């Protein structure tokens, strides 16, 4: 079987692979047995989660779990997203826009219809997250789709060239989250312990900031490298390379 | 014993995890390893959602929240892994890890 880049990835069953397969099958068997021995009905944390819902500031238990009950977990996950972008940016530089073919007129007119709708849906998902399935992660994924479409049609140079704004928006979600997490301690609470009266508003504030950061993070990963900043492009043009 | 729907999904999750784990260890091509990690992650997500489904009257929201954030994190991990793999390819010219280079060809 030939991999697309020409490296032969042979699938023969060598003795080593047989050992790996036996090991994996044993592990799968043990895991499967453990799954089968689980009780048929278990409320898990659902009872507690629903009982505390009136204190969480939102009406959707999943959003309450993401941003209130397990807020610490989500805070660290947003930090992981930022770390991934920092990692990718330190490894690679984005392809210059000239590397792509000009977008077809069909794609461009399709985008004119669909992009405003997608931005609207992202905001709707963020808003509805407080009482129905939705939230910053879902809205962020849709908004990232907007940026990916702009990338594919070669229309997004303006977004990736404003590096100060780009970096500001990438860290916005994490900064707001940390500011709120620490800020509630001023009122006498513990870290991430939102005051009950303002919990809904604080969650919406964190989610709005996280939405922007999640969308930009996913799109930055799709672009796959640090875009040329103004300094880089000016030094590049000094070397005879056109920045645009 | 009747097969509860959640059990089918949970066992499918375990199966995906095992398939991914085998490919992660046995295959040398880096793209295959990254794909294998994603298959393993999907197995874990499927398992968590299936486990949440056992609760009555509504599904347990806590595993759902973990899957929700986990999907975005796994996409980011894949992006970083692809950037690293691309760097390995531009540096060595091969899409395999250096210690697998002889046996993998």
């Amino acid at each position: 079987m030939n991999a697309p880049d020409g490296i032969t990835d042979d699938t023969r069953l060598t003795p080593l692979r047989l050992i790996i397969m036996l090991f994996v099958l044993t592990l799968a068997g043990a895991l499967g047995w453990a799954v089968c021995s689980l009780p048929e009905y278990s409320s898990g944390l659902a009872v507690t989660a629903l009982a505390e819902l009136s204190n969480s500031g939102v009406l959707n238990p999943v959003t309450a779990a993401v941003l209130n009950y397990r807020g610490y977990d989500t805070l660290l996950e947003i930090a992981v997203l930022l770390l991934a972008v920092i990692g990718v940016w330190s490894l690679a530089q984005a392809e210059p826009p000239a590397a792509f073919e000009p977008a077809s007129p069909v794609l461009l007119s399709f985008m004119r219809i669909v992009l405003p709708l997608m931005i609207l849906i992202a905001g709707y998902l963020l808003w509805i997250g407080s009482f129905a399935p939705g939230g910053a992660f879902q809205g962020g994924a849709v908004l990232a789709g907007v940026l990916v479409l702009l990338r594919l049609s070669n229309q997004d140079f303006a977004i990736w060239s404003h590096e100060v704004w780009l970096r500001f928006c990438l860290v916005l979600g994490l900064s707001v989250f940390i500011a709120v997490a620490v800020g509630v301690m001023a009122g006498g609470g513990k870290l991430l312990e939102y005051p009950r009266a303002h919990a809904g508003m604080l969650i919406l504030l964190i989610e709005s900031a996280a939405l922007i950061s999640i969308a930009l993070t996913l799109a930055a990963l799709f672009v796959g490298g640090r875009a040329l900043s103004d300094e880089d492009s000016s030094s590049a043009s000094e070397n005879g390379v056109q920045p645009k | 014993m009747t097969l509860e729907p959640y059990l089918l999904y949970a066992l499918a999750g375990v199966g995906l995890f095992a398939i991914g784990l085998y490919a992660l260890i046995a295959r040398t091509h880096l793209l295959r390893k990254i794909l294998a990690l994603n298959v393993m992650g999907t197995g874990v997500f499927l398992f968590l959602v299936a486990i949440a489904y056992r609760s009555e009257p509504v599904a347990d929201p806590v595993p759902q929240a973990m899957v929700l954030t986990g999907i975005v994190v796994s996409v980011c991990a894949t992006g970083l892994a692809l950037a690293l793999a691309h760097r390995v390819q531009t540096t060595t010219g091969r899409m395999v890890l250096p210690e697998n280079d002889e046996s993998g060809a």
Side-chain angles (χ1 to χ4, degrees):
Chain A
M1 185 174 153
N2 284 318
D5 70 345
I7 294 176
T8 323
D9 202 19
D10 75 301
T11 50
R12 280 173 306 168
L13 204 59
T14 57
L16 180 65
R17 283 188 169 160
L18 204 62
I19 294 169
I20 298 171
M21 193 171 275
L22 281 176
F23 162 72
V24 170
L25 281 176
T26 315
L27 184 73
L31 285 174
W33 179 76
V35 168
C36 288
S37 63
L38 285 172
E40 204 169 300
Y41 291 102
S42 161
S43 59
L45 290 165
V47 176
T48 323
L50 291 174
E52 293 292 324
L53 198 56
S54 56
N55 293 330
S56 70
V58 289
L59 294 172
N60 177 18
V62 176
T63 306
V66 169
L67 282 144
N68 202 329
Y69 309 148
R70 295 177 59 84
Y72 189 54
D73 191 22
T74 310
L75 175 65
L76 291 178
E77 270 165 343
I78 289 180
V80 167
L81 304 190
L82 185 61
L83 278 177
V85 174
I86 294 173
V88 169
W89 276 14
S90 42
L91 282 167
Q93 214 160 46
E95 298 278 323
F100 297 100
E101 288 181 25
S104 83
V106 178
L107 179 60
L108 287 177
S109 39
F110 171 70
M111 278 170 45
R112 257 177 230 124
I113 300 167
V114 87
L115 287 197
L117 282 174
M118 285 174 79
I119 295 170
L120 195 66
I121 288 170
Y124 171 73
L125 280 172
L126 175 76
W127 176 250
I128 205 174
S130 61
F131 52 91
F137 285 85
Q138 293 92 326
V142 174
L143 205 55
V146 172
L147 294 169
V148 167
L149 264 178
L150 283 171
R151 179 72 183 173
L152 288 175
S153 59
N154 213 354
Q155 303 285 313
D156 65 339
F157 187 73
I159 297 171
W160 303 107
S161 57
H162 288 102
E163 197 161 3
V164 178
W165 278 106
L166 187 60
R167 289 179 184 207
F168 174 77
C169 290
L170 277 171
V171 298
L172 184 68
L174 187 61
S175 338
V176 170
F177 209 149
I178 292 175
V180 171
V182 176
V184 292
M185 293 169 82
K190 299 194 186 97
L191 186 75
L192 280 165
E193 189 182 307
Y194 313 127
R196 222 174 117 182
H198 303 117
M201 198 201 67
L202 288 175
I203 286 175
L204 190 63
L205 177 71
I206 294 169
E207 282 204 297
S208 313
L211 174 91
I212 293 168
S213 291
I214 290 167
L216 266 178
T217 301
L218 292 174
L221 290 169
F222 181 80
V223 169
R226 199 168 71 89
L228 285 172
S229 70
D230 295 341
E231 296 162 32
D232 291 339
S233 7
S234 57
S235 64
S237 53
E238 277 163 23
N239 298 331
V241 183
Q242 288 300 315
K244 289 189 183 175
Chain B
M1 182 188 126
T2 55
L3 187 68
E4 292 291 323
Y6 89 86
L7 198 59
L8 186 65
Y9 291 114
L11 289 175
V14 170
L16 281 177
F17 182 85
I19 292 168
L21 184 63
Y22 173 76
L24 180 70
I25 304 172
R27 295 308 185 84
T28 52
H29 195 282
L30 281 177
L31 268 185
R32 285 181 196 276
K33 281 189 190 291
I34 294 170
L35 279 174
L37 270 177
N38 271 286
V39 172
M40 285 175 78
T42 309
V44 173
F45 295 149
L46 185 57
F47 173 77
L48 280 174
V49 172
I51 288 300
Y53 189 62
R54 293 178 306 154
S55 156
E56 295 281 341
V58 292
D60 190 352
V62 177
Q64 292 185 57
M66 288 161 74
V67 171
L68 178 64
T69 51
I71 289 171
V72 175
V73 170
S74 85
V75 168
C76 287
T78 306
L80 183 58
L82 286 172
L84 283 167
H86 186 245
R87 191 58 178 263
V88 168
Q89 195 188 25
T90 48
T91 312
T92 67
R94 307 282 314 276
M95 206 55 167
V96 291
L97 291 174
E99 60 263 32
N100 287 331
D101 214 358
E102 287 82 20
S103 60

